[in-house]
Amino acid sequence: MKLVRMQGFADTSVDQLCVEAGVTKGAFFHHFASKEALGVAAADYWTSSTSAFFAGAPYHDLPEALDRVLGYIDFRIALIDGPVEGFSCVAGTLVQETFHTSDAIRVATEASIMGNARALEADIAEALAAVGRSEPSAASLARHVQTVIQGSFILAKTQGDAACAADLSREALGHLRRYFEMLFGRENADAD
């Protein structure tokens, strides 16, 4: 995860992976048929670990659905700190590099990113019902949340300074939060 986040999948060699993991090349190929197989396993690992992490997050305890959605966004904002490789998404990095070259990695990363979106759908649907809205759909809004998050990570990667990169990502998610507040008629009075 560390090497892929720092240098990308394409620029990370099997030799580098072996040195980082403290294993021989033979051991690597005993566990993975190819570097692509490792990419799929990395995406699957990322999915399971982040799913568990987000499932245990405190925003789930909020009584109102909209508060849970806003809490998710706030939680994501709070995670943005330090260098980009510390807060960006492994699945997003993998798919950016391999979407045309590896269907297996593309499918695994789609499951990861869209799985995060699907995890928000029920709360968004409940929030929409609470205000009597049927459009936009909960699925569409959940995908939009992931679009903004992934896009903020890409833009953060354009910055040479870690603090600027983190600020740029937090800013994008702050706008996303305000969008949800406006969409649901809960504008924040002290928004800038």
Side-chain angles (χ1 to χ4, degrees), residues 78-124:
L79 294 174
I80 299 170
D81 193 29
V84 177
E85 61 269 16
F87 64 80
S88 61
C89 175
V90 170
T93 298
L94 283 167
V95 76
Q96 288 169 40
E97 293 185 46
T98 62
F99 72 100
H100 271 309
T101 59
S102 172
D103 280 342
I105 294 174
R106 182 187 52 74
V107 168
T109 56
E110 187 272 342
S112 183
I113 295 168
M114 293 310 201
N116 272 326
R118 284 186 293 278
L120 288 175
E121 280 184 41
D123 286 334
I124 294 172

Side-chain angles (χ1 to χ4, degrees), residues 124-148:
I124 294 172
E126 187 179 327
L128 286 166
V131 296
R133 293 188 71 145
S134 60
E135 291 293 327
S137 73
S140 175
L141 285 172
R143 287 189 301 271
H144 178 66
V145 169
Q146 295 308 311
T147 300
V148 174

Side-chain angles (χ1 to χ4, degrees), residues 138-184:
S140 175
L141 285 172
R143 287 189 301 271
H144 178 66
V145 169
Q146 295 308 311
T147 300
V148 174
I149 291 169
Q150 293 296 328
S152 81
F153 296 157
I154 291 170
L155 291 179
K157 291 174 182 178
T158 69
Q159 302 301 297
D161 176 81
C164 291
D167 287 344
L168 193 61
S169 269
R170 283 191 295 266
E171 176 188 67
L173 272 61
H175 290 307
L176 176 66
R177 188 185 205 288
R178 284 187 289 282
Y179 168 73
F180 270 84
E181 290 173 331
M182 289 186 294
L183 182 67
F184 288 93

Side-chain angles (χ1 to χ4, degrees), residues 2-15:
K2 176 180 153 188
L3 290 177
V4 169
R5 283 174 120 174
M6 287 179 64
Q7 9 184 104
F9 185 72
D11 284 343
T12 300
S13 69
V14 171
D15 288 331

